[in-house]
Amino acid sequence: DSVERITLKFRDSFALLPSSLRELSESFGVPNKKGIFPYDFVNKNNLDFQGEYPEFKYFNLDNKFYLEYLNRKYEHKGEWSLKNSTLEYLSSDLISLYQVICEMDKVIFNNYRINIASHSTIASLAFRILRSNFLESDKLLPKSKGELETAIRAAFFGGRCEVYKPEGILLYHYDFNSLYSFAMLQVMPVGKPVHSLEKDIWKIFGFVKVKILTPENLYKPVLPWRFTTNNGDHRLLFPLGTWSGWYFSEEVK
């Protein structure tokens, strides 16, 4: 007999909808709302508990949920089952999340003609919406993959957060107002990347692979370098010495 093969894909809904299920249920106005549950009441010795509804302190909720708590307590009237309540709560969570995802899918498809099932994160979905609905041409932001994507990603580093003790005489202090937003309104480098063997850094604007040789007496090195410790931790240093790596051309200059 032939065996039917079924492929199941598990995805984290929080990566697509980064908010609590209670907030999502209210925002999307789904019929099934997230309930309340006495998390602090449960322990390994009372899994089959039946009796009085747990006190409000076991629910770990703000006082604004006290009325909902009283309504639930009145519904059970001293005949509460932890097992049944757990199954009901979990079932309600699944139904609520399903309804939220369905509503979000309707909103995205009706406005942008995009199926959210093809995207696992809110960032990838937002980028797809940008590319397909708000750009005049896909050539402005072409997709990169393989060695090209690996090289570009290697040229991006985290911010430098060091503290220096200020010293100086007759110094002038300048502050930039809204520099980031101003820069975003200027002409930005877009389009399909072009591979070049040009070796003159002053003729290049883009990502370059270079061999670095720092001056031995450089007081504060400027180019970062990634390395992995023996424990597997990733670190970022600004060292002296010689190494090779990918960088943005303007930082190298």
Side-chain angles (χ1 to χ4, degrees):
D1 296 336
S2 60
V3 178
E4 182 181 2
R5 296 183 179 274
I6 300 176
T7 301
L8 297 178
K9 293 183 179 180
F10 294 90
R11 293 181 176 177
D12 183 5
S13 61
F14 191 78
L16 190 63
L17 294 162
S19 184
S20 69
L21 183 54
R22 183 180 299 277
E23 292 175 344
L24 291 173
S25 300
E26 295 175 355
S27 298
F28 284 92
V30 298
N32 201 82
K33 306 295 183 182
K34 181 177 177 64
I36 59 176
F37 187 81
Y39 292 101
D40 296 339
F41 179 80
V42 182
N43 60 69
K44 64 180 181 180
N45 299 319
N46 69 350
L47 299 180
D48 294 321
F49 176 85
Q50 294 187 23
E52 291 290 335
Y53 199 65
E55 297 180 35
F56 183 70
K57 64 181 181 180
Y58 292 112
F59 287 80
N60 194 22
L61 294 171
D62 295 333
N63 290 332
K64 64 181 181 180
F65 295 102
Y66 189 65
L67 181 59
E68 181 177 351
Y69 162 79
L70 292 178
N71 291 333
R72 292 296 181 93
K73 184 178 181 179
Y74 179 78
E75 290 176 0
H76 293 282
K77 297 179 181 179
E79 300 178 358
W80 183 76
S81 166
L82 176 57
K83 180 179 179 180
N84 293 339
S85 181
T86 301
L87 294 175
E88 177 186 348
Y89 181 75
L90 294 176
S91 176
S92 177
D93 267 17
L94 294 175
I95 294 174
S96 297
L97 181 58
Y98 174 76
Q99 292 175 345
V100 166
I101 292 177
C102 288
E103 288 301 314
M104 181 183 181
D105 185 55
K106 291 179 183 178
V107 171
I108 299 300
F109 186 80
N110 290 339
N111 287 277
Y112 308 111
R113 290 295 185 268
I114 294 175
N115 184 356
I116 64 171
S118 58
H119 299 276
S120 57
T121 66
I122 190 65
S124 64
L125 176 60
F127 193 61
R128 173 67 183 280
I129 292 175
L130 171 65
R131 288 171 54 87
S132 60
N133 288 264
F134 298 99
L135 293 182
E136 296 179 358
S137 171
D138 283 346
K139 295 180 180 179
L140 291 175
L141 293 175
K143 294 182 179 179
S144 61
K145 57 183 179 179
E147 294 182 2
L148 174 61
E149 181 179 3
T150 300
I152 294 177
R153 287 184 179 274
F156 283 93
F157 298 87
R160 187 170 188 173
C161 304
E162 295 161 308
V163 178
Y164 297 106
K165 185 176 181 180
E167 289 185 9
I169 300 175
L170 298 177
L171 299 180
Y172 291 91
H173 176 269
Y174 298 92
D175 184 29
F176 291 92
N177 183 30
S178 303
L179 182 61
Y180 180 82
S181 55
F182 171 80
M184 292 298 292
L185 291 174
Q186 309 309 305
V187 177
M188 302 297 290
V190 295
K192 185 177 181 180
V194 177
H195 182 264
S196 173
L197 296 177
E198 177 63 56
K199 294 185 177 181
D200 187 351
I201 187 66
W202 299 102
K203 296 181 180 179
I204 299 174
F205 182 86
F207 301 99
V208 293
K209 186 173 185 180
V210 293
K211 182 176 182 180
I212 303 299
L213 174 60
T214 67
E216 295 181 359
N217 61 345
L218 188 60
Y219 179 50
K220 290 183 172 64
V222 294
L223 287 179
W225 174 66
R226 290 190 186 93
F227 79 101
T228 304
T229 66
N230 294 332
N231 297 329
D233 297 330
H234 300 289
R235 293 287 185 267
L236 190 67
L237 291 181
F238 293 82
L240 295 177
T242 302
W243 72 91
S244 297
W246 284 94
Y247 295 91
F248 181 47
S249 60
E250 306 312 290
E251 291 181 327
V252 177
K253 294 174 186 177

